[in-house]
Amino acid sequence: MLSSQVIQASIDELRGISKIDLSVMDMQGQVIASTFEYTELSHGLLREFADSAADSQVIGGCHLFKVFDDGEPAYLLMAKGNDDAYMIGKIAVSHMGQLLTAYREKFDRNNFFQNLLLDNLLLVDIYNRAKKLHIQADVDRVVFLIEPEGDGELMELLKSLFSSQSGDYVTAVEEKNIVLIKALGGGESYNECKAIANTIVDMINSEAMINAKVAYGTIVHELKDVSKSYKEAKMALDVGKIFYAGKSVMAYNTLGIGRLIYQLPLNLCQIFIREIFGSDTLPKEIDEEILSTVQKFFENNLNISETSRQLYVHRNTLVYRIEKLQKVTGLDMRVFEDALTFKIALMVSNYIQYLESTEY
């Protein structure tokens, strides 16, 4: 149903234009909004009109109308004034009917997309309901999943940037994350998707003053596959938080080795870690300083000179740290195969910690 504030604003506007007083009641005769105080009609007369088959009636100089929502009477409307009261009353009924249709369609669209994302619709229902709600079925779409790092009213902020008029839709199926179903124009590729994700991150940071992570799935060409893109975005968000914590944007089609590790069973990961380190966890000698050094070493393609320059340490200091790690693990980070093994072992260790933390 419409809020009393929306109804009051509508009849106030009509009253200001036409000078005709209007009052809107529920089907039990209780006043919801009104532009005047009236005592002419009793609740009994209003209830008799509500229960009758008539759509309109004149009682005591007041014009009464029924406002219908999807074929069912939802409100009673009274118009009181000069000879134009009947015409203004009919206009008010038409206006409220349009408001009810728009509200119902908005609610139904939200409900439709939520069920679509969660795979709660049969294939035939998807296309039947989409047609009824004027949603194009053959538009390229991609699903973005936005996770703010903190509290913030982001739903309206995102709706101001992505409007339903352009085929986009913003909704939520979880308490924290927000879903953007983005319609793409012809020829738009993953480069545009990445640009959109970066725009969302920047906008949330500048407007809401909080950080956010954004993940997106693959581009789908049919409405029924939107849930597939949503599941991919969820996986991308999880994989990004586990293996690529420093990134704000993650794409399902660029998850790399993180995608493979994410789908491994826990016992297999534990076996691998024991094989590399001789225990179920990283050796205590591998501290944050060693880890940050090795991470920077990887980022610079195992280049000692460039890594030492970026870390502001002497080349010999960097070599000392690498050799210290070699003594602990038996892996020489200057050798590609050993470096790759250690990189994978770190990712697997992070995944084990994630799995163990989610059990509680």
Side-chain angles (χ1 to χ4, degrees), residues 53 145 321 358:
L145 192 58
R321 293 177 184 175
T358 55

Side-chain angles (χ1 to χ4, degrees), residues 308-319:
S308 61
R309 187 187 69 81
Q310 292 187 18
L311 290 175
Y312 302 102
V313 298
H314 194 275
R315 177 188 176 93
N316 291 342
T317 303
L318 177 60
V319 172

Side-chain angles (χ1 to χ4, degrees), residues 4-19:
S4 59
Q5 291 87 348
V6 170
I7 297 174
Q8 186 67 55
S10 298
I11 62 175
D12 282 344
E13 186 174 359
L14 283 171
R15 171 68 176 81
I17 296 170
S18 66
K19 310 305 180 187

Side-chain angles (χ1 to χ4, degrees), residues 212-239:
K213 291 186 180 295
V214 177
Y216 56 94
T218 56
I219 297 173
V220 295
H221 309 294
E222 295 187 34
L223 190 60
K224 65 181 179 64
D225 294 325
V226 165
S227 62
K228 170 177 170 288
S229 186
Y230 170 65
K231 293 171 185 175
E232 292 168 346
K234 285 190 69 175
M235 176 185 281
L237 188 64
D238 286 341
V239 171

Side-chain angles (χ1 to χ4, degrees), residues 158-170 180-181:
L158 289 166
K159 284 182 178 179
S160 68
L161 186 63
F162 303 99
S163 66
S164 57
Q165 284 78 13
S166 58
D168 305 332
Y169 203 81
V170 179
L180 165 64
I181 304 170

Side-chain angles (χ1 to χ4, degrees), residues 225-280:
D225 294 325
V226 165
S227 62
K228 170 177 170 288
S229 186
Y230 170 65
K231 293 171 185 175
E232 292 168 346
K234 285 190 69 175
M235 176 185 281
L237 188 64
D238 286 341
V239 171
K241 288 189 290 187
I242 299 168
F243 304 118
Y244 313 106
K247 291 186 176 182
S248 298
V249 173
M250 285 301 306
Y252 177 79
N253 61 341
T254 62
L255 294 180
I257 196 171
R259 184 204 314 274
L260 297 177
I261 297 174
Y262 183 77
Q263 299 179 76
L264 293 175
L266 176 60
N267 65 326
L268 191 60
C269 294
Q270 292 171 331
I271 291 171
F272 177 73
I273 290 298
R274 284 195 293 269
E275 180 182 323
I276 301 301
F277 299 122
S279 64
D280 291 337

Side-chain angles (χ1 to χ4, degrees), residues 2-3 27 31 44 58 73 79 85 96 166 180 184 206 228 232-233 248 263 300-301 313 318 322 327 352 357:
L2 299 173
S3 68
M27 295 306 292
V31 177
V58 180
M96 284 191 63
S166 58
L180 165 64
L184 302 176
S206 61
K228 170 177 170 288
E232 292 168 346
S248 298
Q263 299 179 76
N300 289 294
N301 298 315
V313 298
L318 177 60
I322 292 174
K327 289 179 182 178
I352 291 174
S357 67

